[in-house]
Amino acid sequence: MDAQTLVDERGELWLTLAPLWLEREPRETDYARMTEVILRYGLTLKELEWVMRLELAPVLSRQQMSVAGEWRKFDDYQLMKRLVGHNMRLKGWRRSFWTLFSGLTTMMVRPRLNELVERVAVAQATQ
């Protein structure tokens, strides 16, 4: 898959879920937007978990652990560039590596991710 296809297929989803890694707690509107996009993509809860673990967490956890305040000057273009680069290389041993360590990279956002999963589950049940 080429970079443009990745951006077309996952870009909106990635940018929508990125606020889970911000220093501040996501707002109600953030969770509502995330839930709406996840429902539109038709992801199951298991698929959502692996998108978070393999596609987003390796890039965003590094950002989260970086110098405080870097998020303020962080733009969507740079984020997308890093996410595409990571996902283009996510094959073979790299995929196995991130699968093995994905619990560590999502540990900091696990409470927020659990909150999102609950909201998505409720929304899927009411559809």
Side-chain angles (χ1 to χ4, degrees), residues 54-55 89-100:
L54 294 178
E55 296 177 19
R89 294 184 305 271
L90 193 59
K91 297 173 182 74
W93 71 269
R94 290 177 197 265
R95 186 175 196 82
S96 299
F97 175 83
W98 287 117
T99 299
L100 181 62

Side-chain angles (χ1 to χ4, degrees), residues 1-15 41 51 55 80-91 95:
M1 186 179 299
D2 67 295
Q4 186 59 50
T5 305
L6 259 177
V7 171
D8 293 344
E9 288 184 7
R10 293 288 206 202
E12 181 188 15
L13 180 65
W14 289 341
L15 291 177
Y41 272 76
V51 165
E55 296 177 19
M80 191 60 66
K81 198 167 138 181
R82 288 180 182 172
L83 287 166
V84 167
H86 165 74
N87 284 282
M88 294 287 287
R89 294 184 305 271
L90 193 59
K91 297 173 182 74
R95 186 175 196 82

Side-chain angles (χ1 to χ4, degrees), residues 1-111:
M1 186 179 299
D2 67 295
Q4 186 59 50
T5 305
L6 259 177
V7 171
D8 293 344
E9 288 184 7
R10 293 288 206 202
E12 181 188 15
L13 180 65
W14 289 341
L15 291 177
T16 303
L17 295 175
L20 290 173
W21 275 267
L22 289 175
E23 291 175 0
R24 66 167 177 77
E25 190 67 31
R27 288 175 249 144
E28 190 64 35
T29 55
D30 294 330
Y31 281 121
R33 171 94 172 107
M34 288 177 210
T35 302
E36 172 198 329
V37 170
I38 291 165
L39 292 175
R40 195 166 0 105
Y41 272 76
L43 295 176
T44 65
L45 297 178
K46 191 172 192 172
E47 290 169 333
L48 173 62
E49 177 74 25
W50 286 107
V51 165
M52 298 296 285
R53 286 178 163 226
L54 294 178
E55 296 177 19
L56 290 169
V59 174
L60 293 169
S61 62
R62 283 184 229 145
Q63 184 66 31
Q64 189 178 36
M65 300 300 253
S66 68
V67 178
E70 194 170 326
W71 274 100
R72 279 186 225 116
K73 57 185 173 186
F74 201 71
D75 63 29
D76 291 347
Y77 177 77
Q78 287 297 330
L79 175 60
M80 191 60 66
K81 198 167 138 181
R82 288 180 182 172
L83 287 166
V84 167
H86 165 74
N87 284 282
M88 294 287 287
R89 294 184 305 271
L90 193 59
K91 297 173 182 74
W93 71 269
R94 290 177 197 265
R95 186 175 196 82
S96 299
F97 175 83
W98 287 117
T99 299
L100 181 62
F101 289 101
S102 64
L104 291 173
T105 58
T106 57
M107 184 172 46
M108 301 283 284
V109 296
R110 181 54 57 186

